[in-house]
Amino acid sequence: MSFSLHGIGVSGGYAIGRAQLYSHERLEAPHYILRPEHVEAEVARFAAAVESVREELQGLQTHIPEGAPAELSAFIEVHTLILSDSMLSELPKRLIRAEQCNAEWALARQTEALIAQFESIDDDYLRERRHDVRQVADKVLKALMGHPGHAPLRAADEGESILVAHDLSPSDMVLFKRHAFAGFITDLGGTTSHTAILARSLNLPSVMALHNARAMIREGDWLIVDGIAGVVIVDPDPAILEEYRLRHNQWRLEQKKLRRLKSSPSTTLDGGHVDLMANIDLPSDVKQALGEGAAGIGLFRSEFLFLNRADLPGEDEQFEAYRTVARGMNERPVVIRTLDVGADKSVRWMEDSSVNPALGLRAIRLCLAEPQIFLTQIRALYRASHYGKVQILLPMLASLNELDQALALIGAARGSLRVAGIPFDPDTPVGGMIEIPAAALAAEWFARKLDFLSLGTNDLIQYTLAIDRTDDAVAHLYDPLNPGVLSLIEHTLRVGRKLGKPVSVCGEMAGDTRLTRLLLGLGLTRFSMHPAHLLAVKQQVMRSHVGELAPLARKLLRAGRPERIQEILARINA
Ligand code: PEP
Ligand code: MG
């Protein structure tokens, strides 16, 4: 019987194939009481299971396949850290001794207690980590129960399979590189979960948060995964299957055609050049950026160097990372954003007691409150400027006072390098992110003091519409086409043109092909996005005539009503 399931489309495109169920069901932990003389042997059995999982994770870490997403190593690291936490690796031993119970039972009880603690955390990102705790605990449980591990996955050449799982851990994702799945679907996972982040960088059609897919789908069922609409159709009627086969073939053909655009110039029909740059999180992402033909790095989110660790990266460590990117991009521009932690990106060394972290001490506010952290980073950035075309980008500016303070610290860092005789490029451009409505409205004052601006539309939309970008409950209200948002973008672009200062968009809007032509019509000539979207955006650029789009974009700005905006957008994209 055909039916459909609805979830969150995490990664675009369509996949059609047969379901391959992933044996990941929760294992039932048996419970029995031990004779006193067997207690120490049980403790040793538990310790051996933990050790075998640690070795498994280490093995994964040293055999990360070529081309695996850059985040994978960090995620395996997170699982290793969870495993090392005494809550999981030591407290069950105490329980075994205190209650003379078997290791599986002690582990299951301790896991539930730990997960309950995570569930009470307010911070979305941290709360999501309860899935990681569960995944690590399951691995230990399987090791204890002599579970053979995952059923061997079918080889890639046996036809297209769709992986159906209750949940997937980052280490499971290694298998995606070795077994060419057409897509995957899971019951669990929020948009900020590690698996969602990895899915996007693998660029596989996927739908998450389906709740009951694993229970309702049988091995071998035909599935259609619509990663665009977030829908899975199980056992589709022949007519639907045919329709999606056509869409899928079309999509595959388009993906293939896009590859040919890699070295084509990014120029509009009326001859305007458009810079298409890549957003990266780690130095190892440079390879993908170059592979997609990026003209430079438009946003290196440096905070990823600061996450998943208890200490701060020192000046030398940061310098090495920035230099690697600057050199790797071979004289192409590399915009490195200074530390933007706080809100959904929390770090262990920062006690975040904000009532509302998105409005709290984050990004530049935190750096100005902790100038030593900022100075260390700025010195590392200037040192790297000697080896490539580094540009410095300041996040979350709201007032000119903040900008003045930041510029004074930047001046001090430069002075200290000069005194020490360390080479750097004194002309390194310094830019600011426009992601708070006040900064957009006052863009002219910011632009006068800075070399360039970059519109962080993810936050600009969040703050303009008062919508928490991580909250599923209001996700449907998150609207890049809201007239308020568009006028702030348009105003900032106009200021840039007037003062001759480059303005880019580096939020998700830049990689959304439905918005490329509108942004071009508003005068944008510099886009920065996840490298996976770059060629599709280039295709749009090459098909656009800015002279014709500009009047339509102006019309859309004046439209006001959502239906009218959609109507004009359709004309822009026609
Ligand atoms: C943005 O806010 O649009 C942006 C690019 O920064 P981030 O997504 O890292 O907050
Ligand atoms: Mg931002």
Side-chain angles (χ1 to χ4, degrees):
M1 189 192 62
S2 177
F3 59 94
S4 57
L5 298 165
H6 295 253
I8 303 171
V10 164
S11 197
Y14 309 98
I16 300 173
R18 289 193 180 270
Q20 187 169 355
L21 302 189
Y22 198 51
S23 60
H24 222 295
E25 316 94 301
R26 192 104 315 124
L27 295 171
E28 281 297 316
H31 182 203
Y32 46 87
I33 301 297
L34 304 165
R35 285 171 186 270
E37 63 269 30
H38 290 156
V39 166
E40 282 314 308
E42 191 68 358
V43 169
R45 191 168 75 88
F46 175 75
V50 170
E51 204 39 49
S52 78
V53 173
R54 194 187 321 281
E55 279 166 16
E56 184 191 328
L57 289 170
Q58 268 164 9
L60 282 173
Q61 189 69 282
T62 44
H63 293 102
I64 290 185
E66 178 76 8
E71 297 91 337
L72 184 60
S73 165
F75 294 163
I76 295 172
E77 182 72 28
V78 171
H79 278 200
T80 308
L81 282 171
I82 290 172
L83 184 69
S84 306
D85 196 302
S86 62
M87 294 282 278
L88 211 62
S89 58
E90 290 302 320
L91 286 190
K93 292 183 190 167
R94 276 197 224 160
L95 269 177
I96 297 171
R97 290 191 176 109
E99 301 192 4
Q100 298 191 2
C101 64
N102 60 313
E104 291 89 346
W105 184 249
L107 174 67
R109 278 199 32 204
Q110 188 50 34
T111 307
E112 292 315 318
L114 198 52
I115 285 173
Q117 282 182 19
F118 271 83
E119 270 167 359
S120 63
I121 298 176
D122 274 343
D123 182 298
D124 278 353
Y125 181 83
L126 280 182
R127 204 171 46 250
E128 286 281 335
R129 302 287 73 77
R130 68 193 187 278
H131 298 306
D132 296 287
V133 172
R134 173 78 72 194
Q135 287 160 355
V136 174
D138 275 359
K139 279 185 191 297
V140 179
L141 200 53
K142 280 176 190 165
L144 279 170
M145 295 170 76
H147 197 275
H150 311 306
L153 296 166
R154 224 182 277 142
D157 59 4
E158 284 184 38
E160 299 223 292
S161 307
I162 312 278
L163 200 68
V164 181
H166 180 64
D167 191 14
L168 285 170
S169 73
S171 55
D172 292 327
M173 301 295 271
V174 175
L175 297 168
F176 279 80
K177 284 284 151 189
R178 298 181 189 149
H179 299 263
F181 290 105
F184 74 86
I185 60 178
T186 61
D187 289 339
L188 302 184
T191 41
T192 61
S193 71
H194 281 154
T195 309
I197 297 166
L198 278 158
R200 273 187 216 108
S201 51
L202 282 170
N203 211 17
L204 281 174
S206 44
V207 180
M208 299 176 78
L210 286 160
H211 305 295
N212 297 313
R214 181 65 179 72
M216 295 173 75
I217 294 171
R218 289 162 309 171
E219 181 81 22
D221 275 349
W222 275 105
L223 299 180
I224 295 172
V225 178
D226 181 343
I228 297 166
V231 175
V232 175
I233 304 171
V234 185
D235 199 10
D237 294 337
I240 299 278
L241 195 59
E242 200 42 43
E243 158 71 21
Y244 270 94
R245 277 218 170 97
L246 282 174
R247 281 197 212 179
H248 179 53
N249 286 342
Q250 185 77 21
W251 180 74
R252 274 230 286 239
L253 219 68
E254 274 163 22
Q255 298 293 106
K256 227 174 167 175
K257 271 203 285 194
L258 283 178
R259 302 282 344 140
R260 296 194 214 129
L261 298 182
K262 186 187 154 189
S263 40
S264 310
S266 169
T267 312
T268 61
L269 291 175
D270 43 348
H273 180 75
V274 177
D275 281 328
L276 299 180
M277 326 251 283
N279 291 355
I280 63 166
D281 301 327
L282 290 168
S284 49
D285 295 339
V286 162
K287 200 171 155 203
Q288 193 189 3
L290 289 172
E292 302 296 319
I297 301 299
L299 174 67
F300 175 7
R301 291 179 161 103
S302 71
E303 56 273 13
F304 280 84
L305 300 173
F306 292 69
L307 303 184
N308 293 323
R309 57 192 291 166
D311 58 345
L312 284 157
E315 183 181 313
D316 285 346
E317 185 185 336
Q318 290 190 54
F319 162 62
E320 288 298 342
Y322 306 147
R323 182 171 64 171
T324 303
V325 177
R327 276 186 167 156
M329 290 306 292
N330 300 328
E331 285 300 306
R332 294 177 183 85
V334 171
V335 179
I336 306 179
R337 178 172 75 184
T338 60
L339 184 63
D340 181 1
V341 287
D344 59 332
K345 284 173 282 192
S346 49
V347 277
R348 288 195 207 127
W349 43 266
M350 188 184 142
E351 189 65 37
D352 192 353
S353 52
S354 307
V355 181
N356 184 341
L359 303 181
L361 195 65
R362 61 170 286 202
I364 195 72
R365 303 171 183 181
L366 175 73
C367 285
L368 295 178
E370 301 281 351
Q372 208 43 56
I373 296 177
F374 189 61
L375 281 168
T376 303
Q377 181 169 38
I378 297 292
R379 278 176 57 98
L381 287 168
Y382 270 105
R383 282 172 61 189
S385 71
H386 185 62
Y387 300 91
K389 283 193 163 172
V390 170
Q391 306 190 12
I392 297 172
L393 179 61
L394 306 170
M396 289 281 300
L397 291 166
S399 81
L400 289 174
N401 275 346
E402 286 168 339
L403 178 57
D404 288 342
Q405 286 175 54
L407 292 177
L409 287 168
I410 289 172
R414 271 206 307 251
S416 70
L417 289 174
R418 226 176 257 125
V419 169
I422 297 172
F424 67 94
D425 176 4
D427 296 324
T428 300
V430 177
M433 287 197 73
I434 301 295
E435 43 189 351
I436 294 179
L441 291 167
E444 179 151 353
W445 287 275
F446 285 99
R448 288 188 192 282
K449 290 181 176 238
L450 287 163
D451 299 306
F452 66 98
L453 301 176
S454 188
L455 280 152
T457 48
N458 304 338
D459 278 316
L460 187 62
I461 298 168
Q462 154 164 271
Y463 295 125
T464 306
L465 303 182
I467 283 164
D468 185 338
R469 64 192 258 201
T470 65
D471 186 348
D472 275 358
V474 285
H476 61 292
L477 300 172
Y478 190 89
D479 179 15
L481 292 172
N482 179 286
V485 171
L486 291 177
S487 14
L488 292 174
I489 293 174
E490 194 274 337
H491 174 71
T492 309
L493 290 170
R494 195 149 28 88
V495 165
R497 276 197 300 278
K498 179 174 145 192
L499 300 183
K501 302 283 171 89
V503 180
S504 63
V505 169
C506 64
E508 294 299 296
M509 277 180 86
D512 185 341
T513 48
R514 289 165 305 179
L515 303 175
T516 309
R517 291 166 148 244
L518 170 62
L519 291 169
L520 288 169
L522 291 174
L524 184 70
T525 55
R526 187 171 290 183
F527 295 62
S528 191
M529 67 205 85
H530 190 285
H533 300 142
L534 217 134
L535 293 176
V537 171
K538 189 190 271 190
Q539 188 181 47
Q540 289 297 323
V541 168
M542 293 169 73
R543 290 174 177 171
S544 299
H545 190 290
V546 177
E548 287 169 9
L549 291 173
L552 282 170
R554 279 197 297 274
K555 203 171 199 171
L556 187 142
L557 273 182
R558 291 193 303 269
R561 303 265 342 138
E563 319 77 73
R564 183 80 184 117
I565 289 176
Q566 286 302 336
E567 234 175 79
I568 303 172
L569 185 68
R571 280 175 60 198
I572 285 177
N573 287 332

